[in-house]
């Protein structure tokens, strides 16, 4: 049976792919600079005689044909980039690139997709259809590697019917996987505001435009804007995360800069909110006598999991990993550029448990002590191969 064969190979290959992950972990590269990583992946695909082409500079698309390759095309996606974080784990495969770390687990994602690729290639006479492997750059930075891959035609020739990706989740124990239909993660847009006015002596505010006071009002109004205009059942959050202005006690500065993030799970509300944020910012600053520059840098949309596909994937994963190990995942306001694919073709983004409380593996992603229980690699590559081979839509 196909399922048993995949499990058998995942178990047999586990050691080889843990070594692959150690290599990737030790050699992390920043977004859009994944040159060595890309080279490494191409070498592996070549070794296993999987045909591939490159796009988006460091991106790779591989094609594995099973029996009757035209019957269906399933895409499996991994991201390859690391973060500007200095690793604090004392491990044999610690990052060798100063100030760069695979702190979001994209080394594990790439490893699982490589492992799935080798399994699917080995078993290509045992399953139907075509699997398109997508190794993409730049998940962590705007505009998002996914959007560039899409512009360069990743979803054409051949066009996949559906796409899957996994993300490591240290909050979930190794062995577990979780899924969710509909909205899964939020859109993320960055806000940059500069408030300008005539600064001056703090003892004579009447001769100045108080940019600090304007900024204070604006921050409060922006919070009220979200809470008073958004449907309480529609997840959305705005956080002002940076405020810079002034450097002493007796001078009102002529400029204050604010930065923040706006997140949502509804495209209509998202762009309506952008207009409201701009309007209230411009009007408030102007009413208080200042001038304003405001920029909203539009990032990733929200991640939308196709209901039917997710239901099927969840059922298939239960067959593979046991129903007790598969659950429904909670909503998160984090962002993920897989979202771009998910608004174009049926998509399913699921989570792979990599935590192990007993072993002290609990650090969150994007922290210097993040790591995974590597038993997750066998499960991650097995499930991914199984979904690629067994989903038929
Ligand atoms: Zn991340
Ligand atoms: Zn990530």
């Amino acid at each position: 049976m196909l399922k048993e064969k995949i499990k058998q190979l995942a178990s047999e290959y586990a050691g080889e792919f843990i070594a692959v992950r150690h290599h990737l972990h030790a050699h992390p590269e920043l977004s859009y600079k994944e040159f060595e990583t890309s080279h490494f992946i191409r070498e592996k695909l070549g070794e296993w005689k999987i045909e591939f082409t490159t796009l988006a500079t460091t991106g790779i698309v591989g094609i594995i044909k099973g029996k009757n390759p035209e019957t269906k095309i399933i895409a499996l996606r991994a991201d390859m980039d690391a973060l500007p974080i200095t690793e604090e784990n004392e491990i044999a495969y610690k990052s060798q690139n100063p100030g760069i770390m695979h702190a979001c687990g994209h080394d594990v994602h790439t490893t699982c997709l490589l492992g799935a690729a080798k399994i699917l290639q080995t078993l290509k006479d045992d399953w139907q259809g075509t699997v398109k492997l997508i190794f993409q750059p730049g998940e962590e930075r705007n505009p998002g590697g996914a959007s560039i891959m899409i512009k360069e035609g990743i979803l054409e020739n051949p066009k996949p019917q559906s796409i899957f990706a996994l993300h490591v989740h240290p909050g979930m124990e190794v062995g577990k996987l979780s899924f969710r239909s509909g909205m899964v993660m939020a859109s993320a847009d960055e806000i940059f505001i500069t408030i300008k006015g005539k600064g001056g002596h703090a003892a004579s505010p009447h001769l100045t435009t108080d940019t600090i006071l304007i900024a204070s009002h604006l921050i409060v109004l922006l919070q009220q804007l979200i809470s008073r205009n958004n449907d309480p059942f529609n997840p959305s959050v705005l956080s002002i995360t940076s405020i810079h202005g002034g450097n002493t006690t007796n001078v009102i500065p002529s400029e204050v800069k604010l930065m923040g993030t706006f997140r949502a799970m509804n495209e209509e509300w998202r762009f309506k909110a952008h207009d409201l944020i701009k309007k209230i910012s411009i009007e408030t600053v102007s009413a208080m006598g200042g001038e304003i520059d405001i920029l909203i840098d539009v990032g990733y949309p929200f991640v939308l999991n196709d209901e039917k596909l997710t239901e099927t994937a969840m059922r298939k994963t239960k067959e593979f990993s046991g129903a007790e190990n598969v659950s429904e995942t909670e909503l998160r306001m984090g962002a993920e550029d897989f979202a771009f694919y998910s608004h174009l073709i049926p998509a399913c983004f699921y989570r792979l448990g990599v935590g192990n409380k007993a072993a002290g593996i609990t650090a969150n992603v994007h922290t210097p002590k993040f790591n995974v229980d590597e038993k997750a690699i066998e499960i991650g590559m097995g499930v991914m191969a199984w979904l690629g081979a067994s989903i038929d839509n």
Side-chain angles (χ1 to χ4, degrees):
M1 235 170 92
L2 178 62
K3 188 177 74 186
E4 300 310 323
K5 286 184 179 176
I6 291 176
K7 278 191 175 176
Q8 169 63 32
L9 284 184
S11 156
E12 203 176 294
Y13 296 163
E16 174 186 346
F17 285 92
I18 287 172
V20 163
R21 190 248 164 176
H22 288 178
H23 176 85
L24 294 170
H25 191 86
H27 302 92
E29 296 173 291
L30 291 175
S31 306
Y32 308 106
K33 294 183 179 145
E34 309 89 344
F35 298 105
E36 295 298 322
T37 308
S38 176
H39 178 76
F40 178 83
I41 294 166
R42 282 180 271 134
E43 269 195 353
K44 289 286 174 197
L45 296 179
E47 199 179 296
W48 306 325
K49 304 198 165 31
I50 294 172
E51 37 170 309
F52 62 86
T53 48
T54 56
L55 68 172
T57 312
T58 55
I60 301 161
V61 52
I63 294 282
I64 307 177
K65 289 179 176 157
K67 283 183 299 182
N68 307 315
E70 57 297 321
T71 49
K72 61 168 173 116
I73 299 152
I74 306 290
L76 305 175
R77 171 273 203 179
D79 40 15
M80 310 185 284
D81 55 329
L83 286 160
I85 291 178
T86 299
E87 177 155 29
E88 288 177 12
N89 291 312
E90 289 313 324
I91 46 180
Y93 53 94
K94 183 175 179 169
S95 168
Q96 293 176 18
N97 298 343
I100 307 177
M101 176 189 175
H102 267 299
C104 201
H106 299 184
D107 53 340
V108 176
H109 305 168
T110 298
T111 302
C112 288
L113 184 53
L114 280 171
K118 185 170 177 183
I119 293 171
L120 289 168
Q121 174 75 341
T122 309
L123 298 177
K124 63 183 190 314
D125 296 328
D126 292 85
W127 53 275
Q128 303 266 344
T130 297
V131 166
K132 199 165 180 177
L133 312 165
I134 301 176
F135 296 91
Q136 68 148 80
E139 192 286 320
E140 297 284 2
R141 257 187 68 193
N142 280 357
S147 73
I148 303 173
M149 296 286 276
I150 290 166
K151 263 193 210 119
E152 296 194 11
I154 190 71
L155 296 184
E156 306 301 326
N157 305 320
K159 183 181 169 76
Q161 278 104 331
S162 55
I163 184 165
F164 293 90
L166 67 81
H167 205 291
V168 297
H169 188 23
M172 188 163 62
E173 287 286 292
V174 66
K176 310 280 181 193
L177 295 117
S178 65
F179 293 79
R180 184 183 189 91
S181 279
M183 51 192 177
V184 193
M185 294 185 76
S187 58
D189 306 312
E190 293 171 342
I191 304 168
F192 300 91
I193 296 172
T194 305
I195 299 164
K196 290 181 250 180
K198 184 166 166 271
H201 202 296
S204 315
H206 59 295
L207 301 178
T208 74
T209 308
D210 188 346
T211 51
I212 297 272
L213 186 65
I214 297 175
S216 311
H217 277 280
L218 184 56
I219 292 168
V220 175
L221 284 171
L222 287 171
Q223 290 308 320
Q224 291 172 356
L225 181 157
I226 302 302
S227 78
R228 298 301 87 188
N229 289 280
N230 179 39
D231 179 339
F233 293 99
N234 179 32
S236 185
V237 65
L238 183 151
S239 293
I240 295 296
T241 52
S242 166
I243 165 163
H244 280 276
N247 51 21
T248 186
T249 57
N250 57 3
V251 178
I252 291 170
S254 58
E255 195 174 277
V256 174
K257 284 181 183 284
L258 305 177
M259 288 194 272
T261 182
F262 171 69
R263 291 166 186 240
M265 290 193 176
N266 173 311
E267 292 292 284
E268 196 188 328
W269 157 246
R270 180 189 184 195
F271 291 103
K272 183 181 165 201
H274 287 188
D275 289 343
L276 288 170
I277 291 166
K278 285 182 191 155
K279 183 169 185 284
I280 201 160
S281 299
I282 292 166
E283 289 179 359
T284 303
V285 173
S286 145
M288 295 183 75
E291 284 170 34
I292 180 171
D293 287 332
I294 176 163
L295 170 76
I296 300 180
D297 188 9
V298 176
Y300 310 161
F302 72 99
V303 176
L304 173 65
N305 271 356
D306 182 79
E307 210 167 300
K308 187 169 151 274
L309 184 69
T310 305
E311 213 173 90
T312 311
M314 207 168 167
R315 179 168 47 77
K316 290 277 177 191
T317 306
K318 283 179 179 171
E319 285 171 21
F320 192 84
S321 282
E324 69 283 9
N325 291 318
V326 180
S327 61
E328 190 171 328
T329 200
E330 73 280 14
L331 278 179
R332 293 173 91 86
M333 296 308 284
E336 161 64 54
D337 83 344
F338 183 73
F340 286 111
Y341 307 110
S342 81
H343 287 268
L344 296 172
I345 58 171
C348 176
F349 186 71
Y350 60 99
R351 298 198 168 104
L352 175 70
V354 294
N356 185 333
K357 282 201 190 85
I361 304 171
T362 55
N364 212 344
V365 293
H366 290 220
T367 68
K369 286 200 158 66
F370 169 73
N371 205 352
V372 305
D373 184 325
E374 292 183 320
K375 283 201 286 297
I377 287 171
E378 178 181 336
I379 299 161
M381 66 196 217
V383 169
M384 197 155 239
W386 171 240
L387 292 176
S390 73
I391 294 277
D392 42 20
N393 63 333

